Each structure stands twice: as structure tokens, then as C-alpha cells.
Amino acid sequence: MKKAAVLTLCLLCLALVFSCQKTEVPVYPVTAAVDQVDDYFGAQVADPYRWLEDDQAPAVKAWVEEQNKVTFSYLERIPFREKIRQRVTDIYNYPRYSAPQKAGDHYFFSKNDGLQNQSVIYVQKGLEGEPEVFLDPNLMSPDGTVRVNLIGFSRNFKYAAYSRSEAGSDWQEIRVMDVASKVELPDRLKWVKFTGASWTGEEGFYYSGFDAPAPGEELKGLSRFQKIYFHKLGRPQEEDVLIYEDREHPLRYKNVWITEDEKNLILSLSEGTHGNELHYLDLGKKSRVFKPLVRGFEFDTNVIDNVGDSFLLLTNFQALNKRVVLADPRKPDPEDWQTLVPEKPEVLLSAQATGGQLFCTYLKDAASRAYQLDLKGRPVREIALPTLGTARGFGGRRDDAFTFYTFTSYTHPPAIYQYDIASGSSRLFRETEVKVKPEEYEVNQVFYSSKDGTRVPMFLVHKKGFQRDGRAPAYLYGYGGFNASQLPNFNPAMYVLLENGGVYD
């Protein structure tokens, strides 16, 4: 079970404890404070608990041990803790599916039966075909810590590249599967992370990789000098062709992907969690020098697709809430971009080019709004969603007649919908069966003013007929890092609180 879920359950248990009985408040050991003050551009910032950052220090280990003694002695005295654990395990045990990914005549999806350590990747022939196991990471290690992801298909979908990582490490190894036979090829690409596999035909693919670290240095410090390579299928990694490197900026991340028509290789350079440069390589020309498309790291810009010799971009340049533009690479000045989808008051979360159309998903009052437009940015329709919640997906290829999206909310378990691009109709493709009764609960959206007057949306989840008298235990959760909002999402753990008359905010 994920750490976040375990933490949630502990908080729910404590909420129930305080609501049901008078409990002795635990007394924790005193945490030592040190005289540590940092100067940040003239501002003095105290950090008295800096010593706790070294989790391998003997003093920190001793502190953790003493804290745990108090915590677990308290938890062990809760008479109904085991009952809660059993109920949480029961409701957490439900199948989880990803939306299907079309690859030629086949569809790939992941499924977790409920309590499996890792999701299994399945493949089926057509939408009505019988699903078969394609990759089962649970069989790849005795402790179930191997994780796999499909990261790229060859042009005719004969081969699938996948990444394999162990024990939660960022380090990955790329391997290749024959789709029809499900036989793994001997190709092994080591010391890669944060990469896809961008195929050109059936010959091979581009990827991001690092030099092999010195023995014993694999998990120490930051990885430096990421490079772009081309791997030819069947050849050893030592023969991979170096496509791009930058010896002046060792900590820049470099990612590449190829446009669907395989005419351009797109290179994204980033230095952190915000801002990136874009460059492109015309694969139809002899030159192997990337040309600039977007310079500077002040803004975030991604290539959605190419339209002829121009590129569809999703960007927050001159649009904090993002917009979609058409950029002619012969005119590198962003002032020359043609705006297709102007900025709106709502944040544009994603933009996909599928089936010759644009699919834009916005965030309005912490809930999704989805729209279909043509490739010139002209509105076609708003996509009707089941209720206030979160919709993700709408990906695919240019010739697809339909696409898939997943919808969820606090009282709507994740459901996958098949969307017909021509008619705009959605049909339920796969629903989730859970061991709770979401129909017995309701969600109300309310608004309050923050310290600076900003109107902030909040969702209240509780049983139908709930009386707001201020006596019920409430679990309030919010998140504000990395410009990421906490969106409506089905969380089975919260139903332990809801079943016992609590409120989830």
C-alpha cells in the first residue's frame, strides 16, 4: 500500500479515536533545536531542526526510534484499530484499470487486481478480443518491487519498448518485446532515466541516457551529462550513436520524441521543474544539427503535433493559463506565433491532437472541463462529463475514429469512457466495482476567501442527510506545491471516515 494511503489511514484512525472516546494525549520526547540561521538575499531564516535532514546520522536514528515508541504505544491501545485495518484492506481491494492504448490492431492496458504490488500490462486483439498478459512485473522479483512501463512502439507496431526499474530507483533499463509473439529481444539499454523510446520505422529508437556511474556511486548525488542516443535494434548498447550532448550544462535534462509522421525529432531541455527550451531536427535532411524552436527557460512549452512544416505548441508564454499556438520554425520569434486557442480565465491543463482534432482540458474551480476543437482552434463542442470531477486522456493518433478518457470524482470510482470523435458521444467502456456504496454519499462544492481575497474552491464529502452541527470529525486536506491543484479523485481510504459519520474536505 502506498505511503500516502498509509498516512491517510493513520489520520482517519486518529480522527475516529478523538470522536469516539476520551483518549490520553501522548507526550512526545523533546526535539532538540540548534542555532542554525541562513541568509537568503539579506533575509535571516532560522532552521533549528536542520540536523534532522541527515536521516543516516546516529542522533536522527535515535530520535526516530524514540518517536516511534510513543506513536505505536498509543496506536496499539486503540481497541478498534484492527477493525479499521480490516475494513480498509477490504475496500482497497478492487480492480484498477488504465484506459486502453491503441497500437495497430492491438490495445494495451494495465490492470491491478486490487492488492497486487504492481499493475500487470495486458494486450488484446481489437476491443472485443480476449486480454492476455503482456508483462507481469510481479513475477520479475520475489519482493514485487520491479516496475515496468510501455514507452514506445515501432512504426508498424511490431515492437514495443518498455522500461524496467527496481526497488523504486529512478534508474531504468530499456528492453524490447515482439508484440505478436510476446518474446523479449536480447536488447538491454542500461543507465537511463526519465526517457521514452521514439522509434523511426522498425529500425530502432532515440532515447535519453547517462554514462555508467562508477561502482558504488549509482545512488550518490545527481546524475550528470544526460545525452541523446539512437539505438539500432539487435545491436549492443556500446554501438549506440550519440545524437546530442551538452558538455557545458551537466545538470540539464534532455528528452526527445518524434512526430507521428517521423519527419521531426523534438528535443526538450530543462533545468528543473519549471521552464524548457525546444529544438528540432529535420530527419529528412542530411544535417544532424538541432535547430532552435523555443529559446530560454522562463516558460513551459510542449509540442502537441506538427501541421505540415509548422508545430502546434502548448505554452504559457504571454499566457499564464496557457494557450495553443502554431509556430513556423522559420520564424523563431515567439511574437510571430499564431494563436489558435487563446488564453482563458481557466487553466489549460492539457491539449492533445487526436483524430484530426484538438482536445483541450481546462481546470475550472478545481474540476475538469473538456472541449473538442478543430486544428485551427475553432470550437466543435464541449464534452459532457458525468458530474464535477476529473477527466484525463483523449490521446491517440491522427487516424483514430475514437479516443478514451478516464473520469473520477469523490463519489465516482474511476470509469473509462470511449469517445466517438465524429458524433461527440461517450459510452461507458469500463466501470470500477468497489466495496462501498458511493450513491449513499454526496459532494458539495463551497467557496471561501483566502488571506489575499482569492476565491478558493473546496469540496465537502459526507453521507446524504448529514447535519452540519460542527460535531463530526473532519479530515481537511489541501496541496499547493508545483502549481498543482488537488483535484476530485476517488479515494477508498476516506470511506472509513465517511462510514463513521465523518466529513472529508
Side-chain angles (χ1 to χ4, degrees):
M1 192 176 293
K2 295 181 180 179
K3 290 182 178 179
V6 173
L7 176 59
T8 300
L9 299 183
C10 289
L11 291 170
L12 296 179
C13 288
L14 291 175
L16 288 170
V17 168
F18 287 120
S19 68
C20 296
Q21 62 182 33
K22 292 183 178 180
T23 308
E24 180 182 351
V25 178
V27 179
Y28 283 91
V30 176
T31 301
V34 298
D35 185 15
Q36 174 68 46
V37 179
D38 296 304
D39 188 319
Y40 293 106
F41 307 102
Q44 303 295 308
V45 180
D47 191 359
Y49 303 111
R50 175 76 58 82
W51 65 277
L52 287 171
E53 293 181 5
D54 184 1
D55 60 355
Q56 298 302 312
V60 175
K61 291 181 178 180
W63 179 86
V64 171
E65 184 177 349
E66 291 302 313
Q67 296 287 320
N68 283 341
K69 285 181 181 178
V70 176
T71 299
F72 288 106
S73 65
Y74 173 81
L75 293 176
E76 288 166 1
R77 295 198 303 271
I78 299 175
F80 46 82
R81 186 175 179 228
E82 177 59 22
K83 184 178 180 180
I84 291 176
R85 188 196 67 79
Q86 292 176 359
R87 177 58 178 150
V88 168
T89 302
D90 185 45
I91 61 178
Y92 238 94
N93 187 14
Y94 69 92
R96 296 161 173 81
Y97 292 86
S98 71
Q101 179 182 3
K102 188 174 183 288
D105 296 331
H106 292 86
Y107 289 86
F108 290 80
F109 66 92
S110 65
K111 176 188 176 183
N112 190 305
D113 286 338
L115 298 178
Q116 289 176 292
N117 287 314
Q118 306 293 339
S119 294
V120 179
I121 297 176
Y122 289 83
V123 62
Q124 64 186 59
K125 189 73 173 293
L127 288 178
E128 306 301 326
E130 185 68 24
E132 299 177 359
V133 173
F134 188 70
L135 289 168
D136 186 352
N138 298 291
L139 304 179
M140 297 179 182
S141 68
D143 58 0
T145 60
V146 171
R147 185 175 183 178
V148 299
N149 283 295
L150 295 177
I151 58 173
F153 292 92
S154 61
R155 179 191 296 169
N156 296 321
F157 309 104
K158 182 178 181 180
Y159 302 112
Y162 77 93
S163 63
R164 168 187 170 130
S165 60
E166 300 184 12
S169 173
D170 285 336
W171 286 118
Q172 300 170 333
E173 181 178 276
I174 298 178
R175 300 189 180 188
V176 179
M177 295 282 287
D178 183 288
V179 172
S181 66
K182 303 184 187 65
V183 172
E184 190 172 272
L185 278 61
D187 301 67
R188 298 285 188 276
L189 308 184
K190 298 183 177 181
W191 306 117
V192 303
K193 63 173 73 173
F194 317 128
T195 183
S198 297
W199 289 78
T200 172
E202 310 293 332
E203 180 183 7
F205 53 84
Y206 298 92
Y207 70 97
S208 308
F210 294 89
D211 293 331
E217 300 294 319
E218 296 88 349
L219 302 178
K220 294 183 178 180
L222 296 171
S223 301
R224 297 160 62 86
F225 298 111
Q226 191 176 34
K227 304 176 179 67
I228 303 299
Y229 295 94
F230 178 78
H231 173 71
K232 190 170 184 179
L233 208 58
R235 298 287 182 86
Q237 185 175 8
E238 292 75 18
E239 296 181 11
D240 288 354
V241 179
L242 178 63
I243 301 298
Y244 179 87
E245 68 174 334
D246 181 353
R247 301 301 302 179
E248 296 182 1
H249 302 93
L251 298 181
R252 280 186 182 174
Y253 288 108
K254 307 166 186 71
N255 287 288
V256 290
W257 63 95
I258 201 167
T259 54
E260 188 175 328
D261 58 13
E262 297 188 11
K263 290 183 178 179
N264 293 281
L265 186 66
I266 309 299
L267 169 67
S268 177
L269 306 177
S270 61
E271 296 183 332
T273 59
H274 168 74
N276 69 302
E277 280 194 349
L278 286 177
H279 301 255
Y280 73 100
L281 177 65
D282 188 334
L283 296 176
K285 296 182 179 179
K286 293 182 179 180
S287 173
R288 284 297 178 258
V289 177
F290 283 91
K291 295 181 179 180
L293 183 60
V294 179
R295 288 192 178 278
F297 297 88
E298 186 177 355
F299 301 98
D300 296 298
T301 306
N302 295 312
V303 174
I304 302 170
D305 198 0
N306 65 307
V307 179
D309 294 328
S310 296
F311 296 99
L312 280 173
L313 306 179
L314 174 64
T315 181
N316 62 2
F317 174 74
Q318 294 184 347
L320 291 178
N321 288 338
K322 296 191 177 181
R323 58 179 173 142
V324 176
V325 302
L326 187 65
D328 184 340
R330 295 168 297 183
K331 301 176 181 178
D333 188 344
E335 298 293 342
D336 292 325
W337 290 348
Q338 177 187 354
T339 297
L340 301 183
V341 182
E343 180 185 19
K344 297 175 63 174
E346 297 78 33
V347 176
L348 177 54
L349 292 178
S350 68
Q352 306 268 11
T354 303
Q357 301 280 283
L358 268 176
F359 290 90
C360 294
T361 304
Y362 290 86
L363 183 65
K364 180 177 175 57
D365 295 332
S368 296
R369 298 289 192 277
Y371 301 88
Q372 179 182 338
L373 308 91
D374 66 19
L375 291 181
K376 293 185 177 181
R378 295 174 297 203
V380 176
R381 62 177 64 92
E382 181 176 359
I383 299 170
L385 301 177
T387 184
L388 286 179
T390 303
R392 294 186 176 95
F394 303 105
R397 299 177 66 84
R398 296 176 178 178
D399 58 355
D400 287 345
F402 54 83
T403 183
F404 294 92
Y405 65 92
T406 299
F407 181 84
T408 184
S409 74
Y410 296 111
T411 56
H412 197 297
I416 299 168
Y417 291 85
Q418 181 180 339
Y419 178 79
D420 185 275
I421 296 174
S423 68
S425 61
S426 294
R427 78 171 183 91
L428 181 62
F429 179 78
R430 179 172 285 139
E431 61 182 339
T432 302
E433 296 182 1
V434 294
K435 298 175 183 177
V436 296
K437 297 180 179 179
E439 67 274 10
E440 296 181 356
Y441 302 88
E442 64 182 6
V443 181
N444 291 299
Q445 188 176 48
V446 297
F447 296 86
Y448 65 92
S449 295
S450 67
K451 185 177 181 180
D452 64 358
T454 301
R455 189 169 180 258
V456 180
M458 181 171 68
F459 295 93
L460 304 178
V461 191
H462 48 72
K463 283 185 177 181
K464 291 181 177 178
F466 174 81
Q467 298 296 319
R468 297 188 188 181
D469 56 13
R471 295 187 297 176
Y475 176 36
L476 176 64
Y477 182 82
Y479 183 79
F482 301 97
N483 198 31
S485 299
Q486 180 68 20
L487 305 183
N489 185 54
F490 184 77
N491 180 1
M494 78 176 185
Y495 277 85
V496 175
L497 176 64
L498 299 179
E499 289 173 345
N500 286 274
V503 181
Y504 182 85
D505 302 334

